[in-house]
Amino acid sequence: MVKKQRISSIYFSILGICTLIFGFLDIIVAIGGQNVSIGALEIPADMFRGGWGGFIVLSSGLFYLSGCKNISEIHQFSKIVMGSVLLWIVAGCDIFGMICESIPGGEEGPWFNTLGDFLGTYAPPYPPAIFLLPFSLVVIFCPFRKVNRKDTIK
Amino acid sequence: MKLNVDQRWNLIDKIVKRTVSFGVYRHTLKEAIGELTVKPVSGVPIAIAILYGFWSIFGSFAGTLCTDGFFVKLFDGYFLPWMQNLFSKTPAWIYYIFVGDPQADNCFEAFGMLTSGLFVAIGVVLPAVFIFYLMLTLLEDIGYMPRLAVLIDAVLHKIGLHGYAIVPTILSLGCNVPAVTACRILETKKQRFIMMTLLAIFIPCGAQLGIMQEVIPDTMGWVLLYLLAGYFIFGFIMHKLLPGKSPEILLDVPAYQLPTLRNVTRKLRMRVICFLRSAVPFVLLGCAVVNILYLAGVIRFLSNALSPIFVGWFGVPKETVGPLIAAFLRKDLAVAQLSVIEMTKYQMITAVVLISIYFPCVATFAIMLKEGWKELLGSLLVLITVTFIYGGFLHLIWILLGVQ
């Protein structure tokens, strides 16, 4: 059990640092005002997705880092969960945006997209939150134990 | 049978032994997460994330998928040519009122009662209102709203309100009418007056947000920021100037829970039907009234008469008088009308802010009247003052920045 907790702590520390870095990059790119593409990764430069989205990714990283010590304690674990929830919000919005974009056929095209264009919408590059999404899902399987509250009613 | 004090205590002890179990209280994950959402350090980023999600889904669903994806194509490609063909043999004035500009090739620019009116109501505003109320209902039913009220309580006390004022504020982002009614949850007359006035002036409704997303997507953030700043600045001033009390209250925070499909669909249906009943007739009526006023030359006369105020003080073209008249009927319609007037980005920001703050729409006006004519008169007095000060101030900012 102790070993598992240690592994979880190390895992979420690393994820926290990566998330924090991506959050910073998001904000810096948004301030710079020029999209940055590195392979399959694209950091958006618009103030909404890059600036506010970056702030949320950064906060997610801070939640991970503040919760990774003594992870089995329920309050610490709740920070890890919240870090993941913040990432899910940003990544979920990116994915929802792709879905909404992929369905209609465009201004001059047919009512609905062709299969090729529909699938093409989901091709890379992706924003950082989508890359972090699978790693944040680990929180669902993470063990935790309930702890006794100090102010019990005895 | 009458018991003495000792017998009563003995009886209480026996009941307690049989009914109350003592143990150690275990804190659940739900409670721990609940605590995180109300502490300022962790609660503020969470609130920002929720607002981000709210706005992002709103834009993707209403703008990208529904309006741009399907309704623009439906209305511009099929409905407008059909209406133009249908009314082609009618007298010119009837054509102008119902179909609008004969040269227009899209419903945004036509401004007919049946073309722009239906497009704005069904094609732009309905998806926006639907997704707004769906997300609001989910947040309410999950139990996040009371936590947001706790989180923002300290800030709202600075403007004489308390945390629960966030409920009418957010409701107002959907429609001002239920929001004005929701002001009754506030304790004192002073609080209700401040809230009602701020809602009428600074909070754009869902319909207006939807159309702003369509017409000024790039500058919408600035408009909202400006309105938000006004909400707090004028709230603070009113709190300091108005007599009356702003008491503290205890907020009840329920546990987080999964929303039920039945509750969500019922609330959503009720709210969307309420919107359709109150908004669609006003949008159509608004188009018709403005077109009639144009035909009668009233708008041109008002534009010329009010030109010194609009051009000199607010720094916007005199043609914005027409949309401002339409704004009394529907603000979303007025913003749509602004889109065809030639002006700079900064003039557009001023014009949209003016439409937001200058007068509540007629439905809100009626519901405010129900709350009391003295309150309504007071709110209107504040509103006129704010419009002049704030509109002129915005013009001054552009002049100082040299961007006008």
Side-chain angles (χ1 to χ4, degrees):
Chain A
M1 186 71 184
V2 176
K3 197 181 170 188
K4 272 186 183 174
Q5 281 172 23
R6 195 176 297 157
I7 292 169
S8 304
S9 288
I10 294 168
Y11 177 83
F12 284 110
S13 312
I14 295 168
L15 182 61
I17 292 167
C18 293
T19 311
L20 203 70
I21 292 168
F22 275 127
F24 266 123
L25 284 177
D26 265 337
I27 293 171
I28 290 166
V29 170
I31 292 167
Q34 197 97 38
N35 279 8
V36 172
S37 278
I38 310 160
L41 175 75
E42 186 182 58
I43 304 174
D46 66 286
M47 215 15 137
F48 183 68
R49 283 175 69 209
W52 288 107
F55 173 77
I56 297 161
V57 174
L58 186 93
S59 306
S60 164
L62 291 175
F63 271 114
Y64 280 134
L65 289 177
S66 65
C68 65
K69 198 180 168 190
N70 191 15
I71 201 167
S72 58
E73 203 273 320
I74 196 84
H75 294 92
Q76 289 295 94
F77 183 68
S78 69
K79 291 177 190 169
I80 298 286
V81 173
M82 197 41 82
S84 297
V85 170
L86 294 196
L87 266 186
W88 296 342
I89 289 174
V90 180
C93 289
D94 286 334
I95 293 170
F96 185 74
M98 280 186 202
I99 294 171
C100 290
E101 212 180 306
S102 69
I103 297 170
E107 242 175 74
E108 303 299 323
W111 284 99
F112 291 95
N113 229 341
T114 57
L115 186 65
D117 288 342
F118 174 79
L119 294 174
T121 319
Y122 300 97
Y126 303 117
I130 292 185
F131 278 101
L132 293 166
L133 179 67
F135 300 102
S136 68
L137 292 172
V138 174
V139 77
I140 297 166
F141 306 103
C142 193
F144 68 92
R145 75 184 155 84
K146 290 173 181 174
V147 290
N148 297 344
R149 203 172 151 186
K150 281 176 186 164
D151 51 338
T152 51
I153 43 166
K154 190 90 185 184
Chain B
M1 191 179 75
K2 202 170 183 183
L3 300 176
N4 62 33
V5 176
D6 288 339
Q7 285 172 323
R8 278 186 201 169
W9 277 113
N10 285 338
L11 183 62
I12 290 167
D13 282 343
K14 279 178 190 170
I15 293 169
V16 167
K17 269 181 190 168
R18 292 184 68 174
T19 56
V20 179
S21 59
F22 291 90
V24 176
Y25 180 78
R26 293 188 186 282
H27 220 175
T28 64
L29 181 63
K30 235 170 24 173
E31 287 165 338
I33 288 175
E35 282 176 14
L36 280 180
T37 47
V38 292
K39 285 180 188 163
V41 176
S42 50
V44 170
I46 294 168
I48 290 173
I50 287 172
L51 288 177
Y52 174 90
F54 200 105
W55 194 247
S56 184
I57 291 173
F58 179 88
S60 297
F61 179 84
T64 312
L65 181 66
C66 296
T67 305
D68 292 341
F70 295 105
F71 284 117
V72 168
K73 199 181 282 182
L74 176 73
F75 276 88
D76 292 352
Y78 299 89
F79 188 71
L80 182 64
W82 180 62
M83 291 305 288
Q84 285 171 333
N85 192 33
L86 195 69
F87 281 82
S88 59
K89 291 190 176 77
T90 55
W93 65 274
I94 290 185
Y95 187 96
Y96 188 76
I97 290 172
F98 287 97
V99 185
D101 183 0
Q103 304 300 321
D105 60 356
N106 64 69
C107 280
F108 244 139
E109 292 173 5
F111 284 117
M113 180 182 166
L114 296 178
T115 50
S116 292
L118 281 178
F119 173 66
V120 166
I122 309 291
V124 182
V125 173
L126 183 62
V129 167
F130 171 82
I131 194 69
F132 177 87
Y133 279 135
L134 175 64
M135 287 186 294
L136 181 66
T137 307
L138 286 174
L139 286 182
E140 280 173 352
D141 285 16
I142 285 168
Y144 182 70
M145 292 303 279
R147 286 172 175 81
L148 188 61
V150 171
L151 189 69
I152 206 158
D153 188 60
V155 179
L156 289 177
H157 268 293
K158 305 271 182 215
I159 59 170
L161 303 169
H162 55 66
Y164 261 133
I166 200 69
V167 176
T169 305
I170 290 187
L171 263 180
S172 190
L173 287 166
C175 179
N176 285 357
V177 174
V180 170
T181 314
C183 290
R184 290 174 194 166
I185 61 168
L186 299 169
E187 273 69 33
T188 62
K189 266 191 172 183
K190 176 186 172 178
Q191 286 184 320
R192 285 194 290 271
F193 178 79
I194 293 176
M195 187 77 259
M196 206 164 75
T197 309
L198 291 178
L199 293 182
I201 303 175
F202 291 108
I203 310 291
C205 66
Q208 198 186 337
L209 288 173
I211 205 89
M212 276 157 68
Q213 168 87 6
E214 201 58 28
V215 176
I216 48 159
D218 300 333
T219 49
M220 189 177 168
W222 290 108
V223 172
L224 294 180
L225 196 68
Y226 203 71
L227 292 175
L228 187 72
Y231 179 91
F232 284 104
I233 292 167
F234 285 94
F236 181 78
I237 294 170
M238 276 195 282
H239 175 45
K240 291 293 168 196
L241 294 180
L242 292 174
K245 287 180 181 173
S246 299
E248 303 273 345
I249 60 152
L250 282 172
L251 294 176
D252 179 31
V253 181
Y256 276 124
Q257 56 196 0
L258 274 177
T260 60
L261 185 66
R262 190 162 157 264
N263 275 355
V264 171
T265 48
R266 187 182 285 180
K267 272 189 193 178
L268 187 62
R269 196 177 63 223
M270 194 181 74
R271 285 169 169 172
V272 171
I273 288 173
C274 177
F275 159 77
L276 286 173
R277 276 193 194 140
S278 64
V280 177
F282 282 116
V283 172
L284 299 182
L285 186 70
C287 277
V289 168
V290 171
N291 284 349
I292 290 168
L293 291 177
Y294 266 115
L295 283 174
V298 177
I299 302 263
R300 189 175 299 161
F301 169 76
L302 285 174
S303 296
N304 290 330
L306 298 172
S307 173
I309 298 172
F310 277 78
V311 180
W313 182 252
F314 296 126
V316 293
K318 62 178 184 177
E319 288 81 11
T320 45
V321 171
L324 278 169
I325 290 169
F328 182 58
L329 290 155
R330 287 296 300 175
K331 294 197 172 193
D332 42 348
L333 177 74
V335 177
Q337 287 187 326
L338 283 180
S339 66
V340 289
I341 298 173
E342 256 185 50
M343 53 181 137
T344 65
K345 187 170 93 175
Y346 304 99
Q347 285 178 321
M348 181 61 101
I349 293 177
T350 311
V352 175
V353 168
L354 276 180
I355 278 184
S356 299
I357 65 177
Y358 110 102
F359 214 80
C361 68
V362 71
T364 313
F365 190 87
I367 204 83
M368 282 170 80
L369 189 62
K370 257 189 193 175
E371 297 299 307
W373 66 270
K374 281 182 189 167
E375 284 81 0
L376 176 68
L377 278 182
S379 290
L380 292 181
L381 196 69
V382 175
L383 189 143
I384 292 164
T385 317
V386 168
T387 304
F388 270 88
I389 295 173
Y390 220 46
F393 183 64
L394 194 51
H395 185 202
L396 182 69
I397 291 175
W398 303 142
I399 292 171
L400 291 175
L401 289 174
V403 292
Q404 178 67 301

